[in-house]
């Protein structure tokens, strides 16, 4: 059982839990693209290590020991993403897969040096919080763009990096973190929204809009 496999499992479970859903073997298998039987076997092993609780038909839950390890690897991943953008001129739709490779081989010493070089960032290039060395991270009241009611102005605070398509769309439309979307109109009947950005009227389908998180501006 490799360290990389363990870290990928713990990280994936943490992300699924953060999305508000109960974590079952099938959802974890889909996220990791691994056969459910293999996932079940791994969960049983991780349970014996005291990293999580696994009960058949009732799902999976990280224990404190597992959560600490998950946040550690998430911290390394997001620091790498920040480093790639700030110092190597990667685009934000290119950095996820690169960070996946380096996060597992990053020593604590390198982690600390990159954190200092970046001036201790609290958010990554996609707007996700970067846990500090103790596992604490900044919290915000944000909501998916699809939840915004009509005629609101909103500020973009996060784009879900699991959707490269939304990142490419944002690049094409010159939309980034901190940008204001004006007069958001939510057309639930047609599952799309319209808004104004840089004096342009933009139509956006829910399939993409659900990956954009915002704060309402009052």
């Amino acid at each position: 059982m490799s360290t990389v496999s363990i870290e990928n499992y713990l990280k994936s479970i943490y992300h699924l839990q953060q999305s508000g859903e109960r974590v079952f073997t099938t959802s974890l298998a889909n996220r990791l693209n691994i056969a459910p039987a293999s996932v079940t076997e791994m969960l049983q092993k991780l349970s014996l290590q005291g990293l999580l609780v696994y009960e058949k038909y009732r799902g999976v839950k990280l224990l404190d020991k597992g959560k600490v390890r998950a946040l550690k690897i998430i911290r390394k991943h997001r620091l790498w993403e920040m480093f790639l953008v700030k110092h190597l001129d990667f685009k934000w739709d290119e950095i996820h897969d690169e960070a996946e490779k380096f996060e597992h081989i990053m020593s604590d010493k390198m982690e600390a040096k990159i954190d200092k070089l970046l001036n201790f960032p609290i958010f990554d290039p996609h707007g996700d919080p970067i846990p500090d060395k103790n596992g604490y991270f900044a919290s915000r009241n944000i909501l998916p763009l699809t939840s915004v009611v009509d005629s609101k102005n909103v500020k973009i605070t996060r784009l879900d990096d699991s959707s490269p398509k939304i990142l490419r769309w944002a690049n094409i439309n010159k939309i980034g973190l901190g940008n204001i979307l004006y007069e958001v109109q939510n057309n639930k009947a047609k599952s799309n929204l319209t808004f104004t950005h840089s004096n342009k009227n933009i139509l956006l389908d829910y399939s993409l809009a659900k990956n954009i998180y915002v704060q309402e501006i009052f």
Side-chain angles (χ1 to χ4, degrees):
M1 184 166 41
S2 72
T3 300
V4 172
S5 294
I6 293 172
E7 290 173 344
N8 283 337
Y9 268 85
L10 296 177
K11 181 175 64 173
S12 295
I13 294 168
Y14 180 85
H15 285 316
L16 287 170
Q17 286 184 174
Q18 288 298 105
S19 69
E21 63 179 282
R22 293 183 65 185
V23 184
F24 293 99
T25 301
T26 50
S27 57
L28 191 53
N30 289 335
R31 186 179 182 92
L32 292 167
N33 196 25
I34 297 174
S38 298
V39 171
T40 298
E41 182 180 355
M42 180 61 125
L43 292 176
Q44 291 169 341
K45 292 178 180 178
L46 296 180
S47 179
L48 291 174
Q49 292 186 22
L51 296 168
L52 52 82
V53 173
Y54 168 64
E55 297 180 67
K56 193 174 183 180
Y57 305 122
R58 298 189 66 180
V60 184
K61 183 178 181 181
L62 290 178
L63 295 174
D64 287 344
K65 182 179 175 182
K67 184 179 179 181
V68 167
R69 286 193 64 177
L71 286 170
K72 181 72 171 177
I73 199 66
I74 289 169
R75 168 175 164 79
K76 291 182 176 182
H77 179 97
R78 292 176 179 171
L79 283 173
W80 268 116
E81 289 192 329
M82 202 68 178
F83 178 79
L84 290 167
V85 167
K86 292 293 184 180
H87 293 280
L88 297 182
D89 296 323
F90 275 74
K91 295 179 181 178
W92 66 351
D93 59 334
E94 301 173 328
I95 56 179
H96 179 76
D97 289 344
E98 295 295 333
E100 287 278 321
K101 301 169 188 174
F102 290 110
E103 66 189 37
H104 301 291
I105 60 173
M106 186 185 206
S107 68
D108 290 346
K109 184 176 182 179
M110 181 181 286
E111 173 193 322
K113 284 185 175 294
I114 288 181
D115 193 22
K116 184 178 180 180
L117 177 67
L118 294 169
N119 198 26
F120 310 104
I122 58 175
F123 295 104
D124 75 4
H126 307 114
D128 286 308
I130 301 176
D132 68 14
K133 62 183 181 180
N134 297 311
Y136 298 106
F137 53 84
S139 61
R140 298 167 295 176
N141 292 320
I142 62 176
L143 68 159
L145 184 56
T146 51
S147 298
V148 175
V149 297
D150 284 349
S151 301
K152 291 286 186 179
N153 300 329
V154 300
K155 180 172 71 174
I156 297 178
T157 54
R158 174 179 177 257
L159 278 82
D160 189 345
D161 65 343
S162 66
S163 173
K165 190 174 181 180
I166 189 61
L167 299 178
R168 290 191 291 269
W169 174 88
N171 284 339
I172 292 170
N173 288 278
K174 295 181 171 56
I175 290 176
L177 299 182
N179 285 177
I180 308 299
L181 308 181
Y182 294 95
E183 292 294 314
V184 176
Q185 302 292 328
N186 195 334
N187 189 347
K188 294 183 178 181
K190 294 185 178 180
S191 297
N192 61 36
L193 305 103
T194 59
F195 52 84
T196 301
H197 173 68
S198 297
N199 297 317
K200 289 172 53 181
N201 294 323
I202 297 175
L203 173 69
L204 184 61
D205 189 79
Y206 270 17
S207 61
L208 287 178
K210 68 181 182 181
N211 299 297
I212 301 175
Y213 291 79
V214 299
Q215 290 177 323
E216 292 185 351
I217 299 175
F218 297 97

Coordinates of all heavy atoms in Angstrom, one line a residue, residues 6-7 9-15 17-18 46 49-53 60-75 131-137:
I6 N -2.5 6.1 -0.4 CA -3.2 6.5 0.8 C -3.5 8.0 0.8 O -4.7 8.3 1.1 CB -2.2 6.2 2.0 CG1 -2.0 4.7 2.2 CG2 -2.8 6.8 3.3 CD1 -1.0 4.3 3.3
E7 N -2.6 8.8 0.4 CA -2.9 10.2 0.3 C -4.0 10.6 -0.7 O -4.8 11.4 -0.4 CB -1.6 11.0 0.0 CG -0.5 10.9 1.1 CD 0.8 11.5 0.7 OE1 1.1 11.7 -0.5 OE2 1.6 11.7 1.6
Y9 N -6.5 8.7 -1.5 CA -7.8 8.2 -0.9 C -8.2 9.3 0.1 O -9.4 9.7 0.1 CB -7.6 6.9 -0.3 CG -8.0 5.7 -1.2 CD1 -7.0 5.2 -2.1 CD2 -9.3 5.2 -1.2 CE1 -7.4 4.1 -2.9 CE2 -9.6 4.1 -2.0 CZ -8.6 3.6 -2.9 OH -9.0 2.6 -3.8
L10 N -7.3 9.6 1.0 CA -7.7 10.5 2.1 C -8.1 11.9 1.5 O -9.1 12.5 2.0 CB -6.5 10.7 3.1 CG -6.1 9.4 3.8 CD1 -4.9 9.7 4.7 CD2 -7.3 8.9 4.7
K11 N -7.4 12.4 0.6 CA -7.7 13.7 -0.1 C -9.1 13.6 -0.7 O -9.9 14.5 -0.6 CB -6.6 14.0 -1.1 CG -6.8 15.4 -1.8 CD -5.6 15.7 -2.6 CE -5.5 14.7 -3.8 NZ -4.4 15.1 -4.7
S12 N -9.3 12.5 -1.5 CA -10.6 12.4 -2.2 C -11.8 12.3 -1.2 O -12.8 12.9 -1.5 CB -10.6 11.2 -3.1 OG -9.6 11.3 -4.1
I13 N -11.6 11.6 -0.1 CA -12.7 11.4 0.9 C -13.0 12.8 1.5 O -14.1 13.2 1.6 CB -12.3 10.4 1.9 CG1 -12.2 9.0 1.3 CG2 -13.3 10.4 3.1 CD1 -11.6 8.0 2.3
Y14 N -11.9 13.5 1.8 CA -12.1 14.9 2.4 C -12.8 15.8 1.4 O -13.8 16.5 1.9 CB -10.7 15.5 2.7 CG -10.8 16.9 3.3 CD1 -11.0 17.0 4.7 CD2 -10.8 18.0 2.5 CE1 -11.1 18.3 5.2 CE2 -10.9 19.3 3.1 CZ -11.0 19.4 4.4 OH -11.2 20.6 5.0
H15 N -12.5 15.8 0.2 CA -13.2 16.7 -0.8 C -14.6 16.3 -0.9 O -15.5 17.2 -1.0 CB -12.5 16.6 -2.2 CG -11.2 17.3 -2.2 ND1 -11.0 18.6 -1.7 CD2 -10.0 17.0 -2.8 CE1 -9.8 19.0 -1.9 NE2 -9.1 18.0 -2.6
Q17 N -16.5 14.8 1.3 CA -17.2 15.2 2.6 C -17.4 16.7 2.6 O -18.5 17.2 3.0 CB -16.3 14.9 3.8 CG -16.3 13.4 4.1 CD -15.5 13.0 5.4 OE1 -15.5 11.9 5.9 NE2 -14.8 14.0 6.0
Q18 N -16.5 17.5 2.1 CA -16.6 19.0 2.1 C -17.7 19.4 1.1 O -18.3 20.5 1.3 CB -15.3 19.6 1.6 CG -14.2 19.6 2.7 CD -14.6 20.3 4.0 OE1 -14.9 19.7 5.0 NE2 -14.6 21.6 3.9
L46 N -7.3 1.1 5.5 CA -7.2 2.4 6.1 C -7.9 2.5 7.4 O -7.5 3.2 8.3 CB -7.7 3.5 5.1 CG -6.9 3.6 3.8 CD1 -7.5 4.7 2.9 CD2 -5.4 3.9 4.1
Q49 N -5.8 1.2 10.1 CA -4.8 2.1 10.5 C -5.3 3.3 11.3 O -4.5 4.2 11.7 CB -4.1 2.7 9.2 CG -3.3 1.6 8.4 CD -2.5 2.2 7.3 OE1 -2.2 3.4 7.3 NE2 -2.2 1.4 6.3
G50 N -6.6 3.3 11.6 CA -7.1 4.4 12.4 C -7.3 5.7 11.6 O -7.4 6.8 12.3
L51 N -7.3 5.7 10.3 CA -7.4 6.9 9.5 C -8.9 7.3 9.2 O -9.2 8.4 8.9 CB -6.7 6.7 8.2 CG -5.2 6.6 8.3 CD1 -4.5 6.1 7.0 CD2 -4.5 7.8 8.8
L52 N -9.8 6.3 9.2 CA -11.2 6.5 8.9 C -12.0 5.4 9.5 O -11.6 4.4 10.0 CB -11.4 6.6 7.4 CG -10.8 5.4 6.5 CD1 -11.8 4.2 6.5 CD2 -10.5 5.9 5.1
V53 N -13.3 5.7 9.4 CA -14.3 4.7 9.8 C -15.1 4.3 8.6 O -15.6 5.1 7.8 CB -15.4 5.3 10.8 CG1 -16.5 4.3 11.1 CG2 -14.7 5.7 12.1
V60 N -18.3 6.2 4.5 CA -16.9 6.4 5.1 C -16.8 7.8 5.7 O -17.4 8.8 5.3 CB -15.9 6.4 3.9 CG1 -14.5 6.5 4.5 CG2 -16.1 5.2 3.1
K61 N -16.1 7.9 6.8 CA -15.9 9.1 7.5 C -14.4 9.2 8.0 O -14.0 8.3 8.6 CB -16.8 9.3 8.7 CG -16.7 10.7 9.4 CD -17.7 10.8 10.5 CE -17.6 12.2 11.1 NZ -18.5 12.3 12.3
L62 N -13.7 10.3 7.7 CA -12.4 10.4 8.1 C -12.3 10.6 9.7 O -13.1 11.4 10.2 CB -11.7 11.6 7.5 CG -11.4 11.5 6.0 CD1 -10.7 12.8 5.5 CD2 -10.4 10.4 5.7
L63 N -11.4 10.0 10.3 CA -11.1 10.3 11.7 C -10.1 11.4 11.8 O -9.5 11.9 10.7 CB -10.5 9.0 12.4 CG -11.5 7.9 12.5 CD1 -10.8 6.6 13.1 CD2 -12.7 8.2 13.4
D64 N -9.8 12.0 13.0 CA -8.9 13.1 13.1 C -7.6 12.8 12.4 O -7.0 13.7 11.7 CB -8.7 13.5 14.5 CG -10.0 14.1 15.1 OD1 -10.8 14.6 14.3 OD2 -10.1 14.2 16.4
K65 N -7.0 11.6 12.7 CA -5.7 11.3 12.1 C -5.8 11.3 10.6 O -4.8 11.8 9.9 CB -5.4 9.9 12.6 CG -4.0 9.4 12.1 CD -3.7 8.0 12.7 CE -2.4 7.4 12.1 NZ -2.2 6.0 12.7
G66 N -6.8 10.8 10.0 CA -7.0 10.8 8.5 C -7.2 12.2 8.0 O -6.7 12.6 6.9
K67 N -7.9 13.1 8.7 CA -8.2 14.4 8.3 C -6.9 15.2 8.3 O -6.7 16.1 7.4 CB -9.2 15.1 9.2 CG -9.6 16.5 8.8 CD -10.7 17.1 9.7 CE -11.0 18.5 9.3 NZ -12.1 19.1 10.2
V68 N -6.1 15.1 9.3 CA -4.8 15.8 9.4 C -3.9 15.4 8.2 O -3.3 16.3 7.5 CB -4.0 15.4 10.7 CG1 -2.6 15.9 10.6 CG2 -4.7 16.0 11.9
R69 N -3.9 14.2 7.8 CA -3.1 13.8 6.6 C -3.7 14.3 5.3 O -2.9 14.7 4.4 CB -2.9 12.2 6.6 CG -2.0 11.7 7.6 CD -1.6 10.3 7.4 NE -0.9 10.1 6.2 CZ -0.4 8.9 5.8 NH1 -0.6 7.8 6.5 NH2 0.3 8.8 4.6
A70 N -5.0 14.3 5.3 CA -5.7 14.8 4.1 C -5.4 16.3 3.9 O -5.0 16.8 2.8 CB -7.2 14.6 4.1
L71 N -5.5 17.1 5.0 CA -5.2 18.5 4.9 C -3.7 18.8 4.6 O -3.4 19.8 3.9 CB -5.6 19.2 6.2 CG -7.1 19.3 6.4 CD1 -7.4 19.8 7.8 CD2 -7.7 20.3 5.4
K72 N -2.9 17.9 5.0 CA -1.4 18.1 4.8 C -1.2 18.0 3.3 O -0.4 18.8 2.7 CB -0.6 17.1 5.5 CG 0.9 17.1 5.3 CD 1.4 18.3 6.1 CE 3.0 18.3 6.1 NZ 3.5 19.5 6.8
I73 N -1.7 17.0 2.6 CA -1.5 16.8 1.2 C -2.2 17.9 0.4 O -1.7 18.3 -0.7 CB -1.9 15.4 0.7 CG1 -1.2 15.1 -0.6 CG2 -3.3 15.2 0.7 CD1 0.3 15.0 -0.5
I74 N -3.4 18.3 0.8 CA -4.1 19.4 0.1 C -3.3 20.7 0.2 O -3.2 21.4 -0.8 CB -5.5 19.6 0.8 CG1 -6.4 18.4 0.4 CG2 -6.2 20.9 0.3 CD1 -7.7 18.3 1.2
R75 N -2.7 20.9 1.4 CA -1.9 22.1 1.5 C -0.7 22.1 0.5 O -0.5 23.1 -0.2 CB -1.3 22.2 2.9 CG -0.2 23.2 3.2 CD 0.2 23.3 4.6 NE 1.5 23.9 4.8 CZ 1.7 25.2 4.8 NH1 0.7 26.0 4.6 NH2 2.9 25.7 5.0
P131 N -4.7 25.4 3.5 CA -4.5 25.1 5.0 C -3.1 25.6 5.4 O -2.1 25.4 4.7 CB -4.7 23.6 5.1 CG -5.4 23.2 3.9 CD -5.0 24.1 2.8
D132 N -3.0 26.2 6.6 CA -1.7 26.5 7.1 C -1.0 25.2 7.7 O -1.6 24.1 7.6 CB -1.8 27.6 8.2 CG -2.4 27.2 9.5 OD1 -2.6 26.0 9.7 OD2 -2.8 28.1 10.3
K133 N 0.2 25.4 8.2 CA 0.9 24.2 8.7 C 0.2 23.4 9.8 O 0.6 22.3 10.0 CB 2.3 24.6 9.1 CG 2.4 25.5 10.3 CD 3.8 25.9 10.6 CE 3.9 26.9 11.8 NZ 5.3 27.2 12.1
N134 N -0.7 24.1 10.4 CA -1.5 23.4 11.5 C -2.8 22.9 11.0 O -3.6 22.4 11.8 CB -1.7 24.4 12.7 CG -0.4 24.8 13.3 OD1 0.5 23.9 13.6 ND2 -0.2 26.1 13.5
G135 N -3.1 23.1 9.7 CA -4.4 22.5 9.2 C -5.5 23.5 9.2 O -6.6 23.2 8.8
Y136 N -5.3 24.7 9.7 CA -6.4 25.7 9.7 C -6.4 26.5 8.4 O -5.4 26.7 7.8 CB -6.1 26.7 10.9 CG -6.2 26.1 12.2 CD1 -5.0 25.9 13.0 CD2 -7.4 25.6 12.8 CE1 -5.0 25.3 14.2 CE2 -7.4 25.0 14.0 CZ -6.2 24.8 14.7 OH -6.3 24.2 15.9
F137 N -7.6 26.9 8.0 CA -7.7 27.7 6.7 C -8.8 28.7 6.8 O -9.7 28.6 7.7 CB -7.9 26.8 5.5 CG -9.1 25.8 5.7 CD1 -10.3 26.2 5.4 CD2 -8.8 24.5 6.1 CE1 -11.4 25.3 5.5 CE2 -9.9 23.6 6.2 CZ -11.2 24.0 5.9

